[in-house]
Amino acid sequence: MHSSRCRAVGAAKMLFLALWFALIQSVHATYSAIQETTNIESICDCSSGMIPVPVDVEIPVDPTQGLNTTSLRRLHRVFSIFGEFCQPGTPSSNAEHVQLLLHGSTYTHQYWTFPMNGFQNYSYVAHACRQGQSTFSYDQLGVGLSERPVHSADIQIPTAAQIASLLAKGLKEGVITSLLGRGEQRFSKVIAIGHSQGSVVFNYVAITQPSLSGIAAMVLTGHIHDTGFLVSSSSSTPLPARDVDPARWGNLEPGYISTPDRSRFYSPDNSTFSSDVLMLDGLTKDTSTAWFTRDLPAVYVPAQGFTAPVVEMVGAMDQLHCFNTTTGVERCIEPALQVSEAPFWPDSRNFTTIVRAGSGHDLNLDFGASDTFQLLSTLVEELA
């Protein structure tokens, strides 16, 4: 009886794995075909590959203690970070500036080039190319095609922030394009655009490296200094990725986390997004680490000395920050949000908040994405 049950379980697992890998291959094939079509149409001229990033940072020995602990260790090693550089297929007058794009938790750089509808509706990168703007998007350490350390405790906000800062400097100095085989292209200005956790990373850069990061402006989407979110995040228990998807992440230690439910990243109004996008989002989700949540209080302080322009952009129906699904109350009202957020950017020469009506947490993945993209590219022109 026992051996029969084991054989049945084993067969079921093998069937699941076969279906899963077939699905992943289909998704990657679609993505590759879309990329080829994009290149043929000369929307974007892209190169991708691994970037060696030399990290030298002090982080807590025990990441559960948060960043206020005095018990620190030195993390000194070179990590391989996957990135994709894209620029317009035809010469542009915007050649002097580039956007550094960083995704949110459990996403990859494909958040900026989501493989739906031939990139026509869901690729901010393609939109930027049409506007004559260059971008560099990358996979966070431990995510996607970037190196995944054995120990998740290596991936804390200070580590992520130093990687972001070094990539920004690499874009200014022409190192990134050289490593990707495009020759030494130097950019006078780097505009950082983050989403959710990516915005948190850039926020930490502004706090800890206000004049050294090389970042000329920031657009932080899906992120505000919401104390309610801080409390709920600190009290919640993240799910280990190996429990969410044993077939993909069964070998990861429990500090690597993921999410089984993507619906909270969208508006509670199902008519504002495509069910196909939500389904593909679930199939292509990735991991993060529990330590980002532990480190969140570190960005709830003023970014003293950061003088560059900053824009915070959220969706009015963002279930993580702005919309209470129990009461139906929208908490992010633009004038009030501007007042409450301004103290976190005391030295910015131009701080602005924007609330996108009808959008949820994932501003790039709903039916209003094209308007969000136009707003982002317009902001880049104004901030650059």
Side-chain angles (χ1 to χ4, degrees), residues 238-257:
L239 290 176
R242 65 187 188 186
D243 294 341
V244 173
D245 194 335
R248 294 177 67 191
W249 302 312
N251 63 332
L252 297 183
E253 49 107 328
Y256 282 103
I257 61 172

Side-chain angles (χ1 to χ4, degrees), residues 29-76:
T30 301
Y31 178 58
S32 298
I34 289 170
Q35 282 189 311
E36 290 173 7
T37 302
T38 300
N39 290 333
I40 290 172
E41 294 175 352
S42 297
I43 296 173
C44 284
D45 178 16
C46 299
S47 297
S48 61
M50 306 303 289
I51 308 295
V53 181
V55 169
D56 189 356
V57 65
E58 288 192 330
I59 56 176
V61 173
D62 179 0
T64 65
Q65 299 300 311
L67 297 181
N68 289 329
T69 181
T70 57
S71 180
L72 303 174
R73 65 182 175 94
R74 184 185 182 191
L75 178 64
H76 186 203

Side-chain angles (χ1 to χ4, degrees), residues 107-326:
Y107 285 88
T108 69
H109 78 286
Q110 283 194 339
Y111 176 78
W112 307 101
T113 52
F114 200 72
M116 283 290 291
N117 294 348
F119 286 160
Q120 296 306 303
N121 298 333
Y122 298 101
S123 175
Y124 174 66
V125 169
H127 176 87
C129 284
R130 292 189 188 99
Q131 306 305 308
Q133 299 170 346
S134 298
T135 61
F136 178 75
S137 57
Y138 69 99
D139 289 343
Q140 182 60 269
L141 179 65
V143 171
L145 297 176
S146 287
E147 181 177 346
R148 177 172 281 150
V150 174
H151 303 294
S152 67
D154 287 348
I155 311 175
Q156 302 182 43
I157 287 182
T159 314
Q162 188 170 98
I163 290 171
S165 179
L166 290 171
L167 289 173
K169 292 176 183 176
L171 288 167
K172 294 191 71 172
E173 296 169 359
V175 174
I176 301 298
T177 54
S178 293
L179 288 169
L180 294 178
R182 305 181 67 93
E184 189 177 281
Q185 298 185 48
R186 296 172 179 261
F187 297 94
S188 60
K189 291 185 178 181
V190 177
I191 295 89
I193 304 182
H195 175 65
S196 194
Q197 187 182 89
S199 294
V200 170
V201 170
F202 288 143
N203 193 161
Y204 191 77
V205 171
I207 292 169
T208 58
Q209 304 178 52
S211 60
L212 300 175
S213 66
I215 293 174
M218 291 185 178
V219 181
L220 309 179
T221 71
H223 165 63
I224 55 175
H225 300 87
D226 171 18
T227 55
F229 177 71
L230 188 62
V231 171
S232 64
S233 296
S234 63
S235 61
S236 63
T237 302
L239 290 176
R242 65 187 188 186
D243 294 341
V244 173
D245 194 335
R248 294 177 67 191
W249 302 312
N251 63 332
L252 297 183
E253 49 107 328
Y256 282 103
I257 61 172
S258 192
T259 172
D261 181 16
R262 314 295 274 180
S263 62
R264 290 194 70 205
F265 295 152
Y266 296 79
S267 164
D269 180 356
N270 293 342
S271 68
T272 63
F273 61 90
S274 165
S275 59
D276 290 338
V277 168
L278 177 59
M279 180 182 67
L280 185 56
D281 187 355
L283 293 173
T284 57
K285 66 188 175 188
D286 213 279
T287 62
S288 181
T289 74
W291 320 125
F292 277 97
T293 301
R294 299 280 186 177
D295 295 348
L296 267 180
V299 301
Y300 280 63
V301 298
Q304 301 281 359
F306 188 76
T307 60
V310 177
V311 177
E312 290 183 352
M313 184 188 303
V314 290
M317 306 300 284
D318 184 334
Q319 297 185 70
L320 301 186
H321 292 298
C322 298
F323 187 78
N324 189 315
T325 54
T326 302

